[in-house]
Amino acid sequence: MKALILNSGMGSRMGALTAEHPKCMTEISGRETILSRQLTQMADFGVERVVMTTGLFDRVLEDYCRSLDLPLDLTFVKNPVYDRTNYIYSIYCAREELKDDDILMMHGDLVFENSVLESVLSGDESCMAVSSACPLPEKDFKAVVKEGRIEKVGIEFFDDAVAAQPLYRLKRDDWVEWLSRIEAFCEQGNVKCYAENAFNEASGRILLRPADVGERLCAEIDNPEDLARVSERLREVESRTVYMCFSADMLHSGHMAIIRRAARLGRLTVGVLSDEAVISYRRYPLLPFAERRALFENIRGVSRVVEQRTLSYRENLERWKPDYVVHGDDWVTGFQKPVREEVLATLAEYGGKLVEFPYSSDEKYKKLESRARADLSLPDVRRARLRRAIEMKGTVSVLEAHSGITGLIVENTVVYEGGEARQFDAMWVSSLCDSTAKGKPDIELVDMTSRFRTIDDIMEVTTKPIIFDGDTGGLTEHFVYTVRSLERMGVSAVIIEDKTGLKKNSLFGTEVAQTQDSIENFSAKIAAGKRAQKTKEFMIIARIESLILERGMEDALERAFAFVKAGADGIMIHSRRKEPDEIFTFVERFRKEDQTTPLVVVPTSFNQVTEEEFKERGVNVVIYANQLTRTGFPAMQNAARTILLHRRAKECDDLCMPIKEIINLIPEEE
C-alpha cells in the first residue's frame, strides 16, 4: 500500500501561520505538526511508501520530511501550477507513481486519531471516513450513502448524506477506475474542481464503503479557529489512558500487535499478573514477576507497568481509572467471562470503555508453550520449583499421586469459579498410596528402587514439583544415598518422620507400638542428609510425631526448633484429631519464634480447615495425602460388584469415564 498525501494547497486562510511554510507544517502541539503526526502514523501502521504532492515551499517541505528520519520511502511530486489548480491536478501530476498499488489518500491538513486510521485500514474493501454522529457541515464534504455504499461525495449534497472527511483507503482496482476519470477531467481542462467530482462520475463502478468514525477526532484545519479546536481535541485524545493485563513470560508477535493497537488509543499501562496469580491459574511462570515486568517496561508504547495481584481487574481499575481496557475477544465465553463482566461493571461506574480485538491463536506461541512445559519437567528446573512456589504463593496445595495417570490428574485438574482458576501446585508421592497401589502393607516393605520407579512414571508425563514421603528415612547411612538419588531425579523435597523401627501408619497413633527417635539421632540424620546434597534447592522436611504419639506440645516444639537448627528446610506437624486446635496452637507458638521456616500440614483428620485459614495462620504447604487412593478404590470395587451383579458391563458404563477422556489426559509426543 502507498499513502498519497495532498500538500500542494496555498493555505491562505491560515494567515501568518503559513507565511514561511506549507499548512501541513503547522504545529498542533508542542511536539508535532500536522504532517509529522500523519507520517508517524503511517510508519506506525506499516505503510512504507508515501507519495506527497507539493506546491509553494516545496523545498522547505521536502527538507522537513527528511529531517523527521522516519522509516518511509518518500516521493515528492510538485504541482507546477499549484496556485491555479485544485488538488485534482496534483493527483494527475503524480499519476505515474500511483497506479500499481492500493492507496491510502488524505489531505495534508487532516488530523485524526489512531483508531480512525485503524478503522479505515482494517477492512477488505475501499472506504472513506464518515461520521454519523457529527452534524452535516455547510461547506465541507458530505457523502451520500445508499445501501451501504457511497454514491456521491461533495459539499453540495444534503439528502441521504453524512459528514465526511478526505481520508480514503482505496483498493487498487477501485483506485485505477477513479484515477482514470481524474486523468480524463484534467486532460479536458477541468483542473479547478475537486477530485471527488471525478469520483461521482465513476462511482457506479467503484465500491466505496462508509467507515463510520463516530465522534472520534477526524477533522481538517482550514483556519486558526479550526487549529485551536482541533488542538484542544487532540490534547483530550492524547490524555486518554489505556489498561491491559498480561501474564506472559514469553512474548510473540500476537502480543506485540495487540500492544501496538492498545497504545494507539492512549497512554498504555500494562498490568502484569503477580507470580501467585499466574501459578494459581495457569502454569509455573518461567520468569518471576520482576523479570516479566521488565519485559514490558522495555516495549515501545508502554508508558507504565504495574502489578495486578489477581485475575480480577477491579483493584487496578478503581485505582487508575483508565479510559479504555483492551483485551482479546476470547474471554467473551469460558472461565474468564465473569472477569469480563466485572470489568464492564467497573468501567460503567466511571464511564470507561472496553475495547476487544479479535483473538488470534499463534502457532509459534503454542510451540513455545509446549517447549516451556518440557523445560519445566527437567530435573534441574523442577527441583527448585517447590521453594519458589512457596515464595510466590505463601501457601501451596499438594495432592497425592501414585502412578503416571494419577500424576496427570494432579497436573491437569483445574477448577474455574467466578473468573478465578485454582489448581494443585505439587504432588505428594506417599509410601502409603504407593504400597497400597502395589497391594503391599505400609511398613516400608516396598523398596526404594520400586518407589523410585513410581517417581519416574510420574515425572515422565508431568511437570509439577514432587514431595517424596521418605518414611523414617531408614538408617542414616542409607538416607544420604536416598537424598542424592532424589535430588538427581529432580524431586523437590523429602519428608522424613522422627520414628525408628518397623514403620506403622501414624493414624494408628498409640494403638500400635511406635518408637519416636531421639532428638539427637534424628537431628544427626537431618544434618547428614543436608551434607549429602549437591544443590541448594532440594528440601529435607522433618515430620514430628509428638502430637500423634501424645507426647505433648512442648515436646513437639522442642523437636521442631532442634530440627531446624540441625538444617531441616521445613517442619511437618501431624495430628490425628478431628479438631485442628492443637495444630493451630503449634503453628502459633512456632511462628512466634520462627517466621520463615516452611510449615507443612496433612489435614486428613482435621479436614474442615480451608487453605485460606491455614495461610492466615502461617502454614506454607497443605498436603492432601491419600484422597485419590481412597476415592479410586471404592469406585473400582463398585464397578467390579456391578459387573458381577448384572453379569454384563452395561450397568457399569454409567459409572465409567469415557475412554476418550482418559486418553486425552495422556500427552502425546510433539
Side-chain angles (χ1 to χ4, degrees):
M1 174 179 289
K2 285 183 180 178
L4 170 61
I5 305 178
L6 302 170
N7 275 324
S8 38
M10 298 282 288
S12 55
R13 284 186 286 172
M14 296 293 288
L17 291 172
T18 54
E20 297 179 353
H21 56 69
K23 181 168 57 171
C24 62
M25 289 174 58
T26 303
E27 290 188 355
I28 50 175
S29 72
R31 58 184 179 82
E32 64 184 356
T33 64
I34 303 172
L35 182 57
S36 70
R37 178 179 175 83
Q38 287 181 341
L39 292 177
T40 300
Q41 288 173 310
M42 298 304 102
D44 185 47
F45 277 82
V47 178
E48 297 178 349
R49 295 179 294 171
V50 176
V51 176
M52 190 179 303
T53 66
T54 65
L56 184 63
F57 303 120
D58 55 315
R59 294 297 182 191
V60 174
L61 178 58
E62 291 180 27
D63 290 344
Y64 174 72
C65 290
R66 294 189 177 100
S67 73
L68 296 174
D69 196 27
L70 291 167
L72 297 170
D73 179 2
L74 296 167
T75 300
F76 299 95
V77 178
K78 183 173 181 177
N79 177 352
V81 287
Y82 61 85
D83 55 342
R84 300 193 303 276
T85 59
N86 208 328
Y87 59 84
I88 187 172
Y89 190 70
S90 298
I91 297 173
Y92 178 78
C93 292
R95 64 191 183 281
E96 296 303 324
E97 302 289 342
L98 301 173
K99 294 181 176 180
D100 60 347
D101 210 340
D102 292 356
I103 295 294
L104 174 66
M105 182 169 68
M106 67 194 73
H107 286 196
D109 59 0
L110 190 65
V111 178
F112 42 85
E113 56 186 277
N114 287 318
S115 64
V116 167
L117 183 56
E118 186 165 25
S119 296
V120 169
L121 292 175
S122 61
D124 294 326
E125 298 175 312
S126 299
C127 65
M128 178 186 190
V130 304
S131 174
S132 60
C134 293
L136 291 179
E138 284 292 326
K139 298 180 180 180
D140 292 324
F141 276 152
K142 294 167 282 291
V144 176
V145 180
K146 292 184 179 180
E147 297 181 356
R149 66 185 294 168
I150 295 175
E151 291 191 351
K152 303 287 182 183
V153 177
I155 63 174
E156 68 272 27
F157 304 114
F158 287 87
D159 295 335
D160 299 316
V162 291
Q165 292 292 351
L167 176 61
Y168 299 89
R169 185 270 180 92
L170 296 158
K171 301 295 289 183
R172 181 181 178 280
D173 290 346
D174 290 328
W175 171 242
V176 168
E177 188 69 42
W178 187 356
L179 184 59
S180 68
R181 293 306 303 152
I182 290 173
E183 292 174 337
F185 264 54
C186 292
E187 289 167 4
Q188 293 168 10
N190 295 328
V191 296
K192 293 185 178 182
C193 63
Y194 297 120
E196 283 71 14
N197 291 67
F199 165 81
N200 293 339
E201 289 194 3
S203 64
R205 299 183 296 277
I206 299 172
L207 180 59
L208 186 66
R209 301 289 191 188
D212 195 344
V213 302
E215 296 180 346
R216 289 174 289 174
L217 173 60
C218 184
E220 286 186 288
I221 296 176
D222 289 326
N223 52 51
E225 291 74 22
D226 289 344
L227 175 62
R229 184 173 60 256
V230 170
S231 295
E232 178 61 28
R233 284 287 312 278
L234 190 59
R235 280 192 290 272
E236 294 174 8
V237 169
E238 295 186 340
S239 68
R240 293 173 186 163
T241 55
V242 186
Y243 185 82
M244 297 182 72
C245 177
F246 287 91
S247 65
D249 45 20
M250 296 180 294
L251 297 180
H252 58 76
S253 57
H255 291 131
M256 301 307 293
I258 197 169
I259 288 171
R260 282 197 300 271
R261 295 183 74 178
R264 291 167 185 160
L265 294 172
R267 287 180 287 122
L268 176 60
T269 294
V270 169
V272 177
L273 281 178
S274 67
D275 290 331
E276 181 177 354
V278 174
I279 201 171
S280 294
Y281 98 97
R282 192 172 170 219
R283 59 156 169 78
Y284 183 86
L286 297 176
L287 298 176
F289 170 77
E291 294 183 31
R292 289 186 289 117
R293 177 175 59 193
L295 282 178
F296 290 96
E297 286 174 338
N298 289 286
I299 294 176
R300 181 183 171 214
V302 176
S303 300
R304 175 174 53 195
V305 182
V306 299
E307 182 181 30
Q308 183 169 311
R309 295 189 294 178
T310 68
L311 287 182
S312 169
Y313 285 54
R314 178 172 284 278
E315 180 181 4
N316 282 9
L317 297 190
E318 289 179 343
R319 179 178 181 183
W320 304 110
K321 290 185 168 53
D323 296 295
Y324 298 104
V325 169
V326 172
H327 200 284
D329 60 5
D330 55 315
W331 67 344
V332 173
T333 59
F335 87 94
Q336 286 200 78
K337 183 179 179 181
V339 178
R340 178 181 184 270
E341 291 171 348
E342 183 186 56
V343 166
L344 287 169
T346 307
L347 290 172
E349 292 172 6
Y350 65 85
K353 296 180 180 179
L354 174 63
V355 177
E356 293 170 320
F357 294 130
Y359 177 80
S360 60
S361 180
D362 193 313
E363 285 299 321
K364 294 191 295 293
Y365 179 68
K366 290 181 179 178
K367 291 179 181 178
L368 287 171
E369 184 70 18
S370 177
R371 188 185 309 163
R373 290 190 175 273
D375 289 345
L376 289 175
S377 68
L378 296 176
D380 286 343
V381 177
R382 190 172 197 155
R383 185 192 310 114
R385 284 174 54 199
L386 180 64
R387 281 188 185 272
R388 291 185 61 187
I390 293 171
E391 292 171 3
M392 291 176 182
K393 293 190 65 178
T395 300
V396 298
S397 177
V398 185
L399 182 63
E400 66 104 344
H402 55 266
S403 62
I405 194 67
T406 55
L408 285 168
I409 290 172
V410 181
E411 177 92 359
N412 296 314
T413 301
V414 184
V415 173
Y416 302 109
E417 185 177 31
E420 298 286 345
R422 295 190 301 277
Q423 58 183 313
F424 295 104
D425 304 296
M427 305 176 196
W428 167 246
V429 178
S430 156
S431 63
L432 166 64
C433 299
D434 203 2
S435 299
T436 302
K438 293 174 171 61
K440 303 290 178 63
D442 183 26
I443 55 173
E444 295 184 275
L445 179 62
V446 178
D447 61 46
M448 282 297 172
T449 302
S450 178
R451 297 203 58 206
F452 289 170
R453 179 65 243 176
T454 300
I455 294 174
D456 277 337
D457 289 343
I458 295 170
M459 283 189 156
E460 193 172 359
V461 295
T462 64
T463 67
K464 292 186 176 178
I466 289 176
I467 304 174
F468 182 75
D469 179 3
D471 290 324
T472 65
L475 296 174
T476 299
E477 293 82 359
H478 296 171
F479 180 57
V480 296
Y481 286 100
T482 300
V483 167
R484 288 173 182 167
S485 296
L486 293 172
E487 185 181 27
R488 186 167 56 250
M489 295 172 75
V491 171
S492 295
V494 61
I495 296 181
I496 54 172
E497 57 195 86
D498 59 349
K499 293 192 299 192
T500 62
L502 183 64
K503 185 246 176 121
K504 296 291 180 69
N505 192 283
S506 293
L507 296 181
F508 287 111
T510 57
E511 297 171 17
V512 297
Q514 302 195 61
T515 304
Q516 194 168 21
D517 201 353
S518 68
I519 292 176
E520 293 74 20
N521 286 342
F522 198 69
S523 294
K525 185 182 291 185
I526 292 169
K530 293 304 293 180
R531 288 193 299 271
Q533 284 183 221
K534 301 296 184 183
T535 67
K536 295 180 180 179
E537 294 92 356
F538 187 76
M539 301 175 70
I540 296 176
I541 299 172
R543 169 172 160 175
I544 296 171
E545 297 290 286
S546 299
L547 302 182
I548 290 284
L549 300 174
E550 299 179 2
R551 300 285 174 82
M553 186 65 64
E554 299 305 323
D555 184 74
L557 288 165
E558 181 184 2
R559 286 172 175 272
F561 294 127
F563 298 157
V564 171
K565 187 175 181 181
D569 300 291
I571 296 295
M572 175 180 157
I573 185 64
H574 207 18
S575 171
R576 63 191 183 113
R577 292 178 54 181
K578 291 185 179 295
E579 299 78 20
D581 304 13
E582 62 179 2
I583 293 292
F584 289 168
T585 299
F586 176 90
V587 172
E588 181 181 359
R589 293 186 59 182
F590 183 86
R591 282 289 178 238
K592 285 181 180 179
E593 302 293 329
D594 185 331
Q595 287 81 44
T596 58
T597 301
L599 287 177
V600 183
V601 296
V602 181
T604 305
S605 298
F606 45 97
N607 53 24
Q608 72 274 27
V609 185
T610 66
E611 291 172 18
E612 289 75 17
E613 292 177 90
F614 282 128
K615 184 174 184 177
E616 287 174 7
R617 294 175 181 273
V619 172
N620 304 103
V621 182
V622 180
I623 299 177
Y624 302 97
N626 47 46
Q627 278 74 12
L628 291 187
T629 294
R630 289 165 53 208
T631 54
F633 281 96
M636 288 188 285
Q637 192 175 59
N638 186 30
R641 285 175 174 165
T642 300
I643 292 171
L644 284 176
L645 181 64
H646 296 280
R647 299 186 181 184
R648 63 180 185 179
K650 182 178 184 301
E651 289 74 14
C652 190
D653 274 0
D654 292 338
L655 308 175
C656 294
M657 182 181 189
I659 194 68
K660 184 177 180 181
E661 291 184 27
I662 297 174
I663 292 171
N664 287 339
L665 276 175
I666 301 171
E668 295 183 6
E669 289 295 326
E670 296 186 1

